[in-house]
């Protein structure tokens, strides 16, 4: 049984989770990742017992925009509904926020997952997304 909580995970737990899904850009600078988590609007963890098995992180103002920055689930726990539970728990905490946005990789599995979770592609809403990367 997985429990979703806003209990702050430890950095070793977080680093292990990010590494397990191959997000090495985050784990190269643990202090920066810790600051990012601290300054996030909300971080929710999914725990099975005492083990962190998933995490969702949101940034924004909590009033007009909610940007889902990270959603991770340990590979051996994927396809069990944990990611969807994390999204639902996060969105339930901000029911009045109109703009709920995320930017993610463009691959069929990812598209399918987010569509099943109720998200639509930006062009279907008559808007366009822009991205500016400093590197």
């Amino acid at each position: 049984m997985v429990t979703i909580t806003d209990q702050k995970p430890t950095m070793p737990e977080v680093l292990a989770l990010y590494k397990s899904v191959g997000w090495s850009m985050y784990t190269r600078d643990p202090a920066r990742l810790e600051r990012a988590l601290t300054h996030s609007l909300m971080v929710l963890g999914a725990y099975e017992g005492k083990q962190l098995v998933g995490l969702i992180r949101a940034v924004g103002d909590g009033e007009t925009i909610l940007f889902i920055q990270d959603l991770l689930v340990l590979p051996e726990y994927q396809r069990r509904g944990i990611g969807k539970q994390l999204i639902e728990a996060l969105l339930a905490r901000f029911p009045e926020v109109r703009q709920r946005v995320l930017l993610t990789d463009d691959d069929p599995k990812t598209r399918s997952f987010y569509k099943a979770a109720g998200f639509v592609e930006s062009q279907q809403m008559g808007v366009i997304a822009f991205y500016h990367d400093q590197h």
Side-chain angles (χ1 to χ4, degrees):
M1 169 109 181
V2 172
T3 303
I4 308 296
T5 179
D6 59 3
Q7 168 189 335
K8 185 178 179 189
T10 67
M11 279 310 292
E13 289 176 311
V14 169
L15 290 170
L17 180 58
Y18 277 76
K19 285 179 185 175
S20 78
V21 296
W23 288 16
S24 60
M25 290 297 291
Y26 285 89
T27 58
R28 288 181 189 158
D29 188 346
R32 187 175 203 179
L33 176 57
E34 185 170 24
R35 288 190 306 273
L37 291 169
T38 298
H39 294 289
S40 295
L41 178 62
M42 179 163 285
V43 177
L44 298 177
Y47 288 86
E48 184 172 74
K50 294 185 184 242
Q51 181 183 10
L52 179 68
V53 299
L55 179 141
I56 192 166
R57 177 168 82 96
V59 297
D61 59 23
E63 295 293 331
T64 62
I65 188 148
L66 180 71
F67 193 95
I68 298 174
Q69 179 61 31
D70 300 337
L71 174 60
L72 308 87
V73 175
L74 285 174
E76 60 268 29
Y77 284 83
Q78 291 176 6
R79 304 199 59 80
R80 296 186 190 180
I82 296 169
K84 188 173 181 187
Q85 284 180 274
L86 283 163
I87 289 171
E88 289 171 351
L90 178 70
L91 297 180
R93 298 194 184 207
F94 299 95
E96 300 299 321
V97 175
R98 185 178 68 84
Q99 293 184 54
R100 298 159 174 203
V101 181
L102 65 93
L103 182 68
T104 190
D105 297 331
D106 185 9
D107 70 65
K109 287 181 185 176
T110 303
R111 282 174 178 252
S112 178
F113 171 78
Y114 284 109
K115 285 180 180 180
F119 287 85
V120 297
E121 295 180 28
S122 61
Q123 68 269 24
Q124 290 180 280
M125 298 298 296
V127 299
I128 187 168
F130 292 91
Y131 181 81
H132 183 276
D133 191 354
Q134 73 181 41
H135 301 288

